[in-house]
Amino acid sequence: TEIYTLSLHDALPIWEYALDSLLVPETEAARLRIAAAEWLAAAGASGDAIQVLLSAGAADQLAAIVAKEGSRLLAAGQIATVLGACRAIPSRLRGAEIEQLEGEAQQIQGDWSAAMACFQRAAAGRDALPAHLAWRIGLIHYLRGEPDAALSVYQRGVDDPGADPVEMALLLAWMSTAHWIRGDVEPCRLLAKRALAAANACGDHRALAAAHTVMAMLAALDGDRRGNDAHYLLALRAAEEASDVLQVVRIRTNRGSHFMEEGSYAEALQELDVAVRLAELTSFASFLALSLSNRGETKLRTGRIEEALADLEASRLRYNQIHSDMVAYPLQLIGEIYSERGNLAQARVMLEEALGVAERSEEHTSELQSHHD
């Protein structure tokens, strides 16, 4: 005798087919779907519950589950599910929380104009921002290569008196990261320590992952290899315990960069292969571009020129699609490849374009050498 088991997700099409085949009246079918969605949500299958509610046209129940579970689903990489649900919620139910979730989904996919519009609606014209909105809006500027603008937005939320401790820890970690990319070591150090203390105090795994990530980046600036490794391992463990796929991508991308800089190319490629695959699966646009750039450079250093060029061109394309000044990273490396091949005219075009991007952005030109986020 063979026993077959179906996951909740696999069983849904069968259930829907049975419901349709029985010619159940529309109102009764909607009631059954809502009951099924409640059962799925209670069983931990919130993504499937959302799909059932969408088919039932149950806007009120849909808004409730998205508000409750949307942030967790985004961290787990279910971007399309959350985005589709948010778009289906009517305006009468679209509070600031739904606007923020749709904005975050758009941000992850690299549609920063749409994300900013959602965040601005959630902010409702306030000068001071709640911490949870400040770091998300600031992150758009940061990923565009605008750390000064990011810091200005972060500052609007850092004094939020009613901030959720987890959101404040995340804000402090991202604020520290913006100082890191500018080379402002002491502000970076102060904020990183505050972020870690806040994360430890609340015990949240997402906050711990973000705080340990920036502590690892700081250790790299200090030349502290042991501290860098230790913090990245703690960050990765926390991100995995939180089922935060997006932070896993970020951490593995950074670890790959660090291994590459040390000449540990096999280890770098191992990390970056995972990062690229996860970024592709989750449509994590900015970190897909970064992980491709880092992997391209790693392959370049090992003499795999054609593979390197393919990764770098893919990175360049994705950075251009999301209008990020970080396109200077792959441009610089593509120029290096052309130069080594003796194609000096094309090399000059690429390097001049990279320099132009760097000059119009708020990053220092020397920081083009850094491939951490």
Side-chain angles (χ1 to χ4, degrees), residues 222-246:
D222 293 337
D224 179 3
R225 169 59 193 270
R226 182 174 297 179
N228 179 270
D229 285 344
H231 281 296
Y232 270 139
L233 287 173
L234 290 168
L236 186 58
R237 183 185 307 162
E240 289 174 342
E241 289 179 353
S243 299
D244 191 334
V245 179
L246 302 181

Side-chain angles (χ1 to χ4, degrees), residues 207-351:
L208 285 166
H212 280 296
T213 296
V214 74
M215 288 296 293
M217 295 164 68
L218 183 62
L221 281 184
D222 293 337
D224 179 3
R225 169 59 193 270
R226 182 174 297 179
N228 179 270
D229 285 344
H231 281 296
Y232 270 139
L233 287 173
L234 290 168
L236 186 58
R237 183 185 307 162
E240 289 174 342
E241 289 179 353
S243 299
D244 191 334
V245 179
L246 302 181
Q247 286 208 73
V248 170
V249 171
R250 180 190 182 202
I251 293 160
R252 288 194 179 275
T253 299
N254 284 6
R255 277 168 56 88
S257 172
H258 191 67
F259 280 130
M260 175 189 62
E261 290 165 1
E262 291 189 329
S264 302
Y265 299 125
E267 291 86 349
L269 287 174
Q270 186 176 21
E271 293 285 354
L272 291 166
D273 283 344
V274 175
V276 168
R277 185 166 64 253
L278 289 176
E280 288 174 337
L281 287 172
T282 57
S283 303
F284 197 3
S286 56
F287 278 90
L288 175 56
L290 181 60
S291 58
L292 282 167
S293 180
N294 287 353
R295 191 172 72 174
E297 182 174 5
T298 305
K299 290 176 178 177
L300 174 60
R301 303 305 170 216
T302 57
R304 295 160 61 178
I305 305 300
E306 292 304 324
E307 292 180 40
L309 189 57
D311 274 349
L312 293 169
E313 287 288 5
S315 173
R316 175 192 179 192
L317 173 64
R318 284 162 175 79
Y319 273 133
N320 280 331
Q321 287 172 339
I322 60 178
H323 307 291
S324 172
D325 284 346
M326 291 184 181
V327 71
Y329 293 155
L331 282 170
Q332 181 189 31
L333 293 164
I334 293 168
E336 182 180 333
I337 289 175
Y338 285 140
S339 179
E340 289 182 1
R341 286 178 165 179
N343 193 336
L344 300 183
Q346 281 188 284
R348 181 170 182 174
V349 169
M350 293 296 169
L351 293 172

